[in-house]
Amino acid sequence: MLDRIREVWSRSRVVRRAETGAGGEQRSHNLFEAAAAYVSACADDDQDRIDEASGWVSPEALSFGVNELACRAVVALARERDQSPREVARLLLGLPAT
């Protein structure tokens, strides 16, 4: 039981972790900052940055942020290429066109 309490406390500390801003003030990362940092670190295959960004928000929030980033990226590419989001998503994943 005590181990479970320690685990929950440790997770909540990571979620509450704040970063020092330019003026020395404390500010927390939001889920979109975490998602952007996480995805860019994954693209660069930088495990240290992946681990850091993973600790900024809860796993659920990070998952939501990554999903939102993916949706926005597909929509932006679809508009840029004058294609449907479905076509762009399938192309990015290397799936055959339907």
Side-chain angles (χ1 to χ4, degrees):
M1 181 67 171
L2 189 55
D3 289 336
R4 177 75 177 134
I5 294 170
R6 285 184 185 142
E7 179 184 337
V8 170
W9 176 254
S10 177
R11 255 193 253 148
S12 69
R13 263 189 31 231
V14 168
V15 170
R16 292 187 313 247
R17 187 170 64 183
E19 175 185 62
T20 304
E25 73 280 358
Q26 293 287 315
R27 78 173 184 85
S28 296
H29 295 281
N30 70 41
L31 66 103
F32 297 115
E33 288 174 320
Y38 179 83
V39 169
S40 64
C42 287
D44 291 337
D45 197 26
D46 185 337
Q47 189 61 48
D48 291 336
R49 286 180 34 224
I50 290 169
D51 294 341
E52 180 184 0
S54 295
W56 291 350
V57 295
S58 72
E60 296 82 11
L62 183 60
S63 177
F64 174 81
V66 169
N67 182 60
E68 186 65 23
L69 177 59
C71 290
R72 291 180 186 195
V74 167
V75 167
L77 279 173
R79 287 180 182 155
E80 182 180 294
R81 297 176 179 187
D82 198 27
Q83 295 177 315
S84 74
R86 181 181 176 141
E87 290 173 317
V88 170
R90 293 185 66 81
L91 177 69
L92 290 172
L93 291 172
L95 300 172
T98 57

